[in-house]
Amino acid sequence: PSYMEAIINAGIVYFSIDSFSKALDHFTIACQREPSNALFYYRRGTVKEAINNLEGAKTDYQIAIRLDPENKDYIQALTQLK
């Protein structure tokens, strides 16, 4: 896998085992390296939501929607957050 795939996959694994700090670190790296990738912001938002950083989650979901306005998952995540 590519470097970015490895970063994202590691973030997903960390999230799945409730290692939220490490998941957040990996998704933040992904957002920094590919700031136009909506999925990375969405994934980081899910981590922030899991650690009850609701403002941070809201911001990341809004960025994801701005980058991919047709994605129903992103819209639903933001709607359910409110």
Side-chain angles (χ1 to χ4, degrees):
S2 73
Y3 173 75
M4 286 308 297
E5 288 173 336
I7 291 291
I8 292 302
N9 288 340
I12 291 168
V13 169
Y14 284 128
F15 183 80
S16 71
I17 61 170
D18 296 341
S19 185
F20 299 126
S21 177
K22 289 183 179 183
L24 186 61
D25 289 345
H26 282 74
F27 292 133
T28 297
I29 290 168
C31 290
Q32 291 169 341
R33 291 189 56 104
E34 290 188 24
S36 63
N37 191 314
L39 179 60
F40 298 164
Y41 288 97
Y42 169 74
R43 292 201 184 277
R44 188 172 72 175
T46 62
V47 176
K48 289 179 178 179
E49 185 175 357
I51 61 173
N52 210 30
N53 176 354
L54 302 184
E55 275 303 310
K58 178 181 177 182
T59 299
D60 280 347
Y61 292 153
Q62 288 171 333
I63 294 169
I65 291 167
R66 188 175 68 235
L67 294 169
D68 186 2
E70 303 300 316
N71 190 300
K72 291 178 179 25
D73 290 334
Y74 305 165
I75 295 166
Q76 181 179 9
L78 180 61
T79 302
Q80 289 180 345
L81 190 65
K82 294 181 178 178

